[in-house]
Amino acid sequence: MCYPTPQELGLAARALADEHPAEVRLRQAGASRAGQPIWVLSVAPTPPAGPADAHVPDGEDRPHGADRADRPDGADGPGGDGGGGGGGRNVLVVAGAHANEPVGGATALSLARRLLRDPAPRAGCGWHFLLCADPDGADLHRTPRPYSLLDYHRYFFRPPGPEQPEWAPSLLPADRLPPETLALLALIDELRPVLQVSLHATDLGGSWVQLTRDIPGLAEPFAKSAADLRIPVENGASDAAGWPSPGPGIFVIPEPGSEAAGAFHPEDTRLSTWYHAHRYDGTTAIVEVPMWASDLVDDPAPHPDPRGALRVLAGRLTADAALVAAARERARSRDRPGPGAHEDPAAAALLRAVDWTLALIPRIAVEWTGPGAPAEATAAYIASIDAFGRRLSLRAAAMLLRVLRAEGHPAAPGLDRLVTGWCEEFAARFGARWIPVATQVEHQSRTVLAAYARLVAAGPSTGRA
C-alpha cells in the first residue's frame, strides 16, 4: 500500500461514488491557488438507531458482513441531513492539511469504505471527508512509498505556516486567507460538525491525539489500538508541552490565558480552523500517527536533568540551523530577478518554506533555555523535543537541497552529504522502525471511530453530541 496522490484520491472517490450512488456523493468544495479541485466525499446517514442497537462501535474490527444490511427505505441519501447543515449529526474528517503527511487521504478513503460495510456509526450521522486540504502542497511533496528517512526527505515539502490551510487564520488577517482555508471554513459552516477530525502524521516517533475539548474515555481504545498494532504512544509530545493529559497520548489544548497554551508554537492554536467547529458546539480531534516508530517517545521514566538536556538540544539546533543558513546565503543570489531565476516552478515555494523554518529556530532555542523550561520532565518528553529539533533543521536543509540540486549549484553536493548524515543519525538515534501504510491507516481509522463513539456516549457535556 502506498500513499495516494491528490489525483489518485479523486479517482478512487469518484469510483466509490459511482459504485454506491444512493449513499455516497463526491463534490468539489473549492479550488486551490493553482486551480486544483478540493474534493469532499460524503457518506449519507442511516436512520437513527433504536434503543436496542444504539451502540456505536469503537473501531474494533468485526467480521465482514456480521451486521451488514441494505440501507433501509427512506434513509437520507447524499445531500440529505448528512449532506448539509440539517437536523442530523455530521462528522468532518480533514486529510492532507500538511503536505508532508500523506497518510490522511488513504485513511479517509478507508474509513468511507468501512462505513459502507458497517453502517452503525452512520445512524443519524453523515460522514464527510475532505480528501486533501492542500493539493498544491501535496504535489510538491513526492514520496508515495519512502524506503528510508533519506528517501522521505529527497522530495520533502512543507509550506510555511501562512500557506497551511488549518494554520493560516492564526497568522493572517481574514482578507488574506488562502482559498484552501476559505473552502475548509465554508465546509465547517455548512456542516456544523459535532466532531471534526484532522488526520496528521509525524515522520518518526509515536502516535498521539490533540483535542480542543476532552472526549472522556478516548484514551482506552486509543491505547488498545496502538498496542495491537505495535505503535508507540507518544507520552510527551513536543506539540503539546504542558497541556492537560487525561490519558497517555491524549492531550487537551489549554484554555486561553494558560501558560502552556502557546508552548513552542508561533501560532495561536485557538485561531486555527480546529476551533471554528466550536461556533457550532463541535469538538476537534487531531490524530497523529508515525511513519517510523521509536520506543524512545513512549518512555515515562523521569529524565535526570531536563533543563541540561534542553540546553544541549538548543545548542545543537542553533549550530545545525547555522549550517543550513550558510548554504541558504550562498544561494541567495539566485533569488534576485533575472534571466533563469527560479526556472524550477517549485523553487519559490521551497525557498519560502526554508526561510520560514529558519526564522522559527532562534525563538524555539530561546524557549528551550529560558525560565519556562521544565525542571521536571519524562524521558519521552526530552526524546520528543530531540526529534522535533532534528526535523526542523533537516526539513530546511532538504527543501533547500531540492532547489540547489535542480539549479546545479556548487553548494548542492555538500548539502547533500549533510542531509544524508542527518537522516542516518536521526534513524539510528531513535531506532526507527517502519510502520506499514496499511497499519498507519488502520490505527487512524480506529481512533476516529472511537472518538465519535466516545463523544456520542458522553452526551451534551462535550458539545452537542
Side-chain angles (χ1 to χ4, degrees):
M1 186 177 188
C2 297
Y3 298 121
T5 66
Q7 294 74 25
E8 290 167 344
L9 287 170
L11 290 171
R14 172 58 64 196
L16 194 64
D18 290 345
E19 185 180 352
H20 301 273
E23 298 172 286
V24 180
R25 175 189 178 198
L26 180 66
R27 61 188 170 113
Q28 186 174 337
S32 71
R33 280 160 287 185
Q36 294 198 70
I38 297 173
W39 295 113
V40 176
L41 183 71
S42 296
V43 181
T46 59
D53 32 48
H55 172 67
V56 179
D58 270 352
E60 291 86 353
D61 288 333
R62 296 183 178 192
H64 285 200
D67 54 0
R68 193 174 181 174
D70 292 331
R71 183 171 153 271
D73 291 339
D76 289 304
D81 278 353
R89 292 191 187 105
N90 287 301
V91 172
L92 173 61
V93 178
V94 179
H98 283 156
N100 61 302
E101 301 170 6
V103 69
T107 299
L109 283 176
S110 178
L111 269 170
R113 296 183 181 114
R114 194 168 190 152
L115 291 166
L116 291 167
R117 292 196 309 266
D118 180 1
R122 294 163 51 200
C125 182
W127 287 72
H128 310 270
F129 302 92
L130 185 63
L131 296 176
C132 184
D134 183 12
D136 297 348
D139 278 351
L140 287 178
H141 179 85
R142 300 191 294 272
T143 52
R145 173 49 172 100
Y147 294 96
S148 65
L149 273 176
L150 179 60
D151 192 33
Y152 170 71
H153 284 93
R154 282 296 184 200
Y155 293 97
F156 181 91
F157 177 70
R158 182 185 178 101
E163 298 176 30
Q164 296 175 14
E166 291 181 329
W167 284 116
S170 68
L171 297 163
L172 294 175
D175 61 353
R176 291 178 53 202
L177 293 177
E180 297 88 348
T181 297
L182 296 175
L184 176 52
L185 292 173
L187 196 59
I188 296 170
D189 289 336
E190 173 197 338
L191 298 174
R192 303 184 173 208
V194 64
L195 175 65
Q196 177 184 210
V197 183
S198 186
L199 301 174
H200 286 256
T202 186
D203 46 18
L204 196 161
S207 180
W208 73 98
V209 178
Q210 299 174 68
L211 301 171
T212 59
R213 292 190 178 102
D214 187 22
I215 299 179
L218 178 58
E220 181 183 351
F222 169 74
K224 182 179 185 303
S225 173
D228 288 348
L229 299 170
R230 295 189 62 237
I231 297 174
V233 170
E234 190 137 349
N235 288 312
S238 60
D239 282 6
W243 294 3
S245 179
I250 308 292
F251 302 94
V252 181
I253 299 173
E255 292 297 319
S258 166
E259 290 183 4
F264 303 160
H265 286 283
E267 309 92 346
D268 185 342
T269 306
R270 293 174 302 277
L271 295 178
S272 71
T273 59
W274 298 346
Y275 272 79
H276 199 71
H278 281 216
R279 297 186 178 195
Y280 311 107
D281 295 324
T283 297
T284 297
I286 301 92
V287 181
E288 302 266 3
V289 65
M291 302 171 72
W292 283 269
S294 171
D295 293 332
L296 295 183
V297 301
D298 197 9
D299 184 354
H303 191 280
D305 182 14
R307 287 182 173 171
L310 287 172
R311 283 193 297 271
V312 171
L313 296 177
R316 187 192 66 205
L317 176 60
T318 301
D320 288 350
L323 295 175
V324 182
R328 176 70 178 100
E329 282 303 315
R330 292 187 63 185
R332 185 76 60 179
S333 61
R334 305 291 178 114
D335 294 352
R336 298 169 188 153
H342 293 158
E343 291 179 357
D344 179 357
L350 287 162
L351 290 174
R352 287 196 305 272
V354 170
D355 293 340
W356 165 265
T357 305
L358 290 176
L360 290 180
I361 288 174
R363 172 185 165 177
I364 290 170
V366 167
E367 290 191 2
W368 287 358
T369 56
E376 297 180 359
T378 64
Y381 172 73
I382 297 302
S384 182
I385 292 289
D386 184 356
F388 178 67
R390 289 175 187 269
R391 68 172 59 98
L392 278 179
S393 303
L394 176 54
R395 289 172 174 179
M399 289 187 287
L400 180 57
L401 177 58
R402 288 184 62 181
V403 176
L404 299 186
R405 196 167 48 213
E407 294 179 350
H409 196 285
L415 191 58
D416 196 348
R417 289 190 293 272
L418 191 66
V419 168
T420 299
W422 282 351
C423 286
E424 292 172 350
E425 291 171 10
F426 196 4
R429 167 70 179 88
F430 283 82
R433 170 172 53 84
W434 171 251
I435 303 293
V437 176
T439 304
Q440 298 173 39
V441 166
E442 178 64 18
H443 179 56
Q444 277 195 327
S445 298
R446 291 182 185 182
T447 303
V448 171
L449 293 172
Y452 176 66
R454 295 306 168 107
L455 189 72
V456 170
S461 62
T462 53
R464 57 184 172 85

